[in-house]
Amino acid sequence: LASAPVMVGPWLARHIYHTSELDPYFILFAFIMLVGALTNLGGQILQGYKDVSRRTLITNFIGTPLVIVLTIALLMRGRGLWGYLVAQVLGACVVLGLLIMAVRKLTPPDVFRQVGPLPPLGRQVLVFGMAALGISILEFLLAQTDKILIGFYLNPREVGIYAVAMTVVAFVPIALQSVNQIFSPTISDLHSRGEHQLLEKLFQTLTKWIFAFTLPLSIAIIIFAKPLMGIFGVEFAVGWPVLVIGTLGQLINCGTGSVGYLLLMSGHQNRLIKVQAVMAVTLIVFDLLLIPKWGIMGAVTAAALTNAGTNLLNLLQVRSSLNFTPYNRTYFRLVPAAMLTTAATLLLRREFSNATNLVTIMFCITAGYIIFGTTLLFSGLDTDDRLIADIVWSR
């Protein structure tokens, strides 16, 4: 799969993005794909060993700063895109090496002394693996179709603006992604042991916490959308509506919680595949209809609608198959905190009307979280919430 960009990439670059400037870089793209796949495997093995903290330490707290430092150093030496890609490759190699060391340390020694043929995986594992592969392919289509069609119908400049906006949007579901890493093996464990009541209780509490942690960030990104895009350059500021619509779509994603993982890890992966397949086709149709008319606004509208539709359909599937719902009356306790945070962020936006630097915007986001958290602490926590808060605080 990694060799495919090297062989067909130049043709695609000329016929879709109408440029040959990408040709020299495909070999590095391919290498990043290969190392990235192995890094993902190492991370999943650590997750299987329930050592999420070590995985997070290696990938986030070591890998990400290392890539940032290498990128800055190489860009300052005038290496341009080559420097950025080399930084990605070196960072990925370091992360992969650390993951291999961690996996080797946690794996029983007998595994490495295995002689003869390996035991068969078994039909159940193969069926689940094929289902997971199908889901990954559909997720790839959902994530990349819009950028390809923007390049085909519009121009590389529009692709750049759209890509930067959607990269910022990708930070919105960070709470959901963090919970998914820990919650996914728990779903499998509780479901296999028949602890359905406890699983539903966890689903409800975690979904509310995911939504609560996402709200202040979403509010700040929507209110500061134009200054945020302006950080990347004056020409990027026109993409602020993309940031707003994309954030709203991700807010719905976080508001439904870990519905996809609930289906996947409880033996209902076929339901998940059906939803993903329907929404992949829907996204392609929306993109073909909206991008030629509305440009990048059409693309982000299609992406947000598809994102919302996918998660709402998954929620219905969870209700149908497991009889779970993430919502209860305690969600109303989030309303005062959300209203105060919105009002405070609007005041800060007016106070810093000329804010075009990241430090000022980060200060406003932090202030929003403090206001939201303080209000919630005094008015919005029930017994289960306080239990989780105490556990988080103690660790």
Side-chain angles (χ1 to χ4, degrees):
L1 287 176
S3 65
V6 180
M7 293 187 292
V8 302
W11 184 89
L12 291 174
R14 283 190 291 272
H15 289 80
I16 293 180
Y17 294 107
H18 315 295
T19 179
S20 59
E21 293 179 6
L22 289 173
D23 291 2
Y25 304 106
F26 280 108
I27 186 68
L28 285 179
F29 287 140
F31 192 77
I32 290 171
M33 287 176 61
L34 180 61
V35 178
L38 296 173
T39 301
N40 185 51
L41 173 62
Q44 292 291 333
I45 293 171
L46 289 182
Q47 184 174 332
Y49 283 141
K50 297 187 177 179
D51 197 346
V52 178
S53 57
R54 192 178 312 211
R55 168 189 173 176
T56 305
L57 175 67
I58 293 172
T59 57
N60 291 32
F61 292 98
I62 296 177
T64 303
L66 177 62
V67 170
I68 292 172
V69 170
L70 289 172
T71 301
I72 292 172
L74 291 170
L75 289 179
M76 289 179 68
R77 291 180 64 88
R79 301 299 181 183
L81 184 55
W82 273 106
Y84 170 75
L85 293 174
V86 168
Q88 295 284 329
V89 170
L90 293 176
C93 288
V94 171
V95 169
L96 179 59
L98 292 173
L99 287 173
I100 290 172
M101 291 168 60
V103 168
R104 188 173 181 85
K105 184 177 179 181
L106 292 171
T107 303
D110 291 345
V111 172
F112 300 107
R113 291 195 288 266
Q114 171 77 30
V115 252
L118 294 171
L121 291 175
R123 182 179 179 277
Q124 215 172 7
V125 175
L126 290 173
V127 170
F128 183 84
M130 292 304 295
L133 177 62
I135 291 168
S136 296
I137 292 171
L138 291 170
E139 285 178 347
F140 174 81
L141 290 174
L142 287 168
Q144 305 300 332
T145 299
D146 47 3
K147 300 178 188 67
I148 294 171
L149 290 177
I150 289 172
F152 182 77
Y153 284 113
L154 304 176
N155 55 66
R157 178 181 178 276
E158 299 292 319
V159 177
I161 295 172
Y162 183 81
V164 166
M166 297 308 284
T167 300
V168 177
V169 169
F171 282 96
V172 175
I174 191 168
L176 175 63
Q177 292 163 2
S178 302
V179 168
N180 283 342
Q181 288 186 27
I182 304 167
F183 191 36
S184 55
T186 305
I187 295 169
S188 177
D189 181 36
L190 292 177
H191 185 267
S192 64
R193 291 195 283 113
E195 299 278 358
H196 295 148
Q197 189 173 0
L198 177 58
L199 181 56
E200 182 179 17
K201 193 74 172 175
L202 275 173
F203 177 43
Q204 288 182 346
T205 305
L206 289 174
T207 302
K208 184 171 72 173
W209 275 71
I210 291 166
F211 188 62
F213 272 109
T214 306
L215 262 177
L217 179 61
S218 300
I219 290 168
I221 287 177
I222 290 170
I223 292 174
F224 282 91
K226 195 167 184 178
L228 262 173
M229 290 299 294
I231 290 171
F232 302 98
V234 178
E235 63 273 22
F236 286 94
V238 296
W240 71 266
V242 175
L243 197 53
V244 172
I245 296 173
T247 301
L248 291 173
Q250 286 296 343
L251 194 57
I252 295 173
N253 178 21
C254 295
T256 56
S258 306
V259 283
Y261 276 96
L262 268 172
L263 293 172
L264 181 64
M265 304 304 289
S266 63
H268 297 96
Q269 62 271 10
N270 290 338
R271 290 175 179 255
L272 182 59
I273 289 178
K274 289 176 183 176
V275 171
Q276 297 277 47
V278 169
M279 297 315 297
V281 173
T282 303
L283 176 65
I284 292 171
V285 172
F286 279 169
D287 279 338
L288 290 172
L289 291 175
L290 298 180
I291 291 176
K293 293 182 179 179
W294 298 347
I296 57 175
M297 288 300 297
V300 73
T301 302
L305 289 174
T306 306
N307 195 359
T310 300
N311 286 283
L312 292 174
L313 285 175
N314 283 336
L315 187 62
L316 291 175
Q317 293 297 325
V318 167
R319 182 66 184 271
S320 172
S321 58
L322 300 172
N323 199 27
F324 288 177
T325 177
Y327 308 116
N328 51 46
R329 292 180 180 179
T330 60
Y331 276 77
F332 288 111
R333 298 179 183 179
L334 300 178
V335 174
M339 292 175 66
L340 279 173
T341 304
T342 303
T345 307
L346 285 170
L347 286 173
L348 288 170
R349 176 71 176 91
R350 189 172 67 176
E351 184 69 23
F352 299 104
S353 56
N354 297 320
T356 56
N357 63 81
L358 188 58
V359 175
T360 304
I361 295 172
M362 290 301 296
F363 167 77
C364 296
I365 292 174
T366 304
Y369 268 103
I370 292 172
I371 294 167
F372 188 90
T374 305
T375 308
L376 203 60
L377 188 64
F378 286 102
S379 65
L381 298 182
D382 58 17
T383 307
D384 293 330
D385 295 331
R386 292 187 183 279
L387 177 62
I388 290 181
D390 290 340
I391 293 170
V392 171
W393 181 258
S394 67
R395 292 181 68 86

